[in-house]
């Protein structure tokens, strides 16, 4: 029985049975156009519109200055999350590297992520998560308390609360 052989985007050769392929779809990346990558960014909803515009402009400039890595960039506000007090932006990046060159593709993506992170930190746009509920001491079992011995006397506090 003949089974097709494939080369993955990681350069590995694999053999897949025809019976498996017949039930799946196959994407031939070697014939695909250059990939588009999406990075979702969350900014606090308290971010002023001019600051959002500066962020978008800074990311666009960063991408446009790296024409060896990226062909284009599109940034869209895609929604708001009231529970987390964030707005979501999708950053779409048109890559110059094909899928087969995943190492270069994801290295370029990492540089964009580092730039976005540095920009957000420098601009002081820290995302504050909502407070998490704490369990009552009665809800914590002794096995949990014994595992917390290294946390500044927390195990002792839990043990005393059980007495």
């Amino acid at each position: 029985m003949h089974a097709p052989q494939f080369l993955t985007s990681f350069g590995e050769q694999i053999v897949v049975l025809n019976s498996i392929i017949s039930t799946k779809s196959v994407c031939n990346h070697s014939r695909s156009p250059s990939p588009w990558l999406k990075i979702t960014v969350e900014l606090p909803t308290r971010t002023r519109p001019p600051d959002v515009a500066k962020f978008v402009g800074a990311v666009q400039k960063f991408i446009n200055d790296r024409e060896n890595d990226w062909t284009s960039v599109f940034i869209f506000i895609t929604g708001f999350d009231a529970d987390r007090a964030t707005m979501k932006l999708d950053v779409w990046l048109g890559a110059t590297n094909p899928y087969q060159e995943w190492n270069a593709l994801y290295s370029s993506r990492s540089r964009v992520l580092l730039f976005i992170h540095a920009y957000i930190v420098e601009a002081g746009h820290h995302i504050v998560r909502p407070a998490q509920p704490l369990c009552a001491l009665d809800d914590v079992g002794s096995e949990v308390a014994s595992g917390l011995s290294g946390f500044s006397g927390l195990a002792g506090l839990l043990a005393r609360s059980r007495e």
Side-chain angles (χ1 to χ4, degrees), residues 85-99:
T86 60
M87 71 176 77
K88 294 184 181 198
L89 290 84
D90 283 348
V91 179
W92 285 93
L93 305 166
T96 58
N97 297 304
Y99 285 102

Side-chain angles (χ1 to χ4, degrees), residues 135 137 139-151 154-155 158 162:
C135 62
L137 291 178
D139 295 340
V140 178
S142 60
E143 64 279 351
V144 173
S146 65
L148 297 173
S149 60
F151 292 97
L154 188 56
L158 291 172
R162 297 244 181 251

Side-chain angles (χ1 to χ4, degrees), residues 11-27:
E12 299 174 34
Q13 186 173 1
I14 60 171
V15 176
V16 183
L17 296 175
N18 282 326
S19 60
I20 295 174
I21 293 175
S22 67
T23 63
K24 307 290 181 201
S25 61
V26 177
C27 181

Side-chain angles (χ1 to χ4, degrees), residues 61-77:
K61 180 175 179 355
F62 181 84
I63 298 301
N64 292 334
D65 288 348
R66 282 147 187 84
E67 59 190 28
N68 291 335
D69 294 332
W70 308 108
T71 59
S72 54
V73 58
F74 298 99
I75 302 174
F76 305 99
I77 296 176

Side-chain angles (χ1 to χ4, degrees), residues 76-137:
F76 305 99
I77 296 176
T78 57
F80 295 90
D81 186 336
D83 293 334
R84 295 177 55 188
T86 60
M87 71 176 77
K88 294 184 181 198
L89 290 84
D90 283 348
V91 179
W92 285 93
L93 305 166
T96 58
N97 297 304
Y99 285 102
Q100 303 90 316
E101 295 180 21
W102 60 270
N103 186 7
L105 186 62
Y106 284 96
S107 292
S108 298
R109 182 178 185 266
S110 292
R111 286 189 289 277
V112 173
L113 288 169
L114 285 172
F115 171 79
I116 289 172
H117 174 73
Y119 187 94
I120 289 173
V121 169
E122 285 296 315
H125 300 307
H126 303 287
I127 297 173
V128 179
R129 302 277 183 223
Q132 296 297 312
L134 296 176
C135 62
L137 291 178

Side-chain angles (χ1 to χ4, degrees), residues 29-49:
H29 290 302
S30 65
R31 294 185 183 165
S32 298
S34 295
W36 282 84
L37 299 178
K38 180 179 86 166
I39 298 172
T40 300
V41 179
E42 293 183 352
L43 293 176
T45 52
R46 70 177 182 274
T47 305
R48 298 173 337 121

